[in-house]
Amino acid sequence: MTQPVHHQPQANRFVIDADGQQAVLDYQLQGHRMVITHTGVPTALRGRGLAEALTRAALAHAQDQGLKVTPACSYAASFLQRHPEYAALSK
């Protein structure tokens, strides 16, 4: 079961709280574009799909808001390459 993803718009961040730690995805808004700047999962939480859950939540939010996405972090860039269903968001 995946932990719930919480959006913290005032901090430009998506967060998952698990086992007393946080996995995060940070972004910046640049006009009508969401730039994903960092995806971080503590070592103890890795292998649970948390980075994927954070990225999917961010992409869903971008889509709902009519934003385009620029992946400035390596995880987000790799994720978008592996998931062509999100290609329209990055054009």
Side-chain angles (χ1 to χ4, degrees), residues 6-84:
H6 302 284
H7 185 203
Q8 298 175 345
Q10 70 285 2
N12 291 340
R13 175 175 272 194
F14 289 86
V15 176
I16 295 174
D17 293 305
D19 299 339
Q21 299 183 64
Q22 283 192 333
V24 301
L25 180 145
D26 295 315
Y27 67 91
Q28 295 175 353
L29 292 177
Q30 297 177 356
H32 294 289
R33 184 162 290 278
M34 171 189 278
V35 180
I36 299 175
T37 57
H38 173 74
T39 305
V41 177
T43 303
L45 300 179
R46 291 186 182 162
R48 299 185 188 185
L50 301 182
E52 179 177 351
L54 289 165
T55 304
R56 287 186 185 277
L59 295 174
H61 175 76
Q63 189 170 35
D64 290 347
Q65 298 299 309
L67 301 171
K68 294 295 183 183
V69 175
T70 298
C73 86
S74 60
Y75 180 84
S78 175
F79 182 90
L80 285 169
Q81 286 178 346
R82 291 189 321 268
H83 296 278

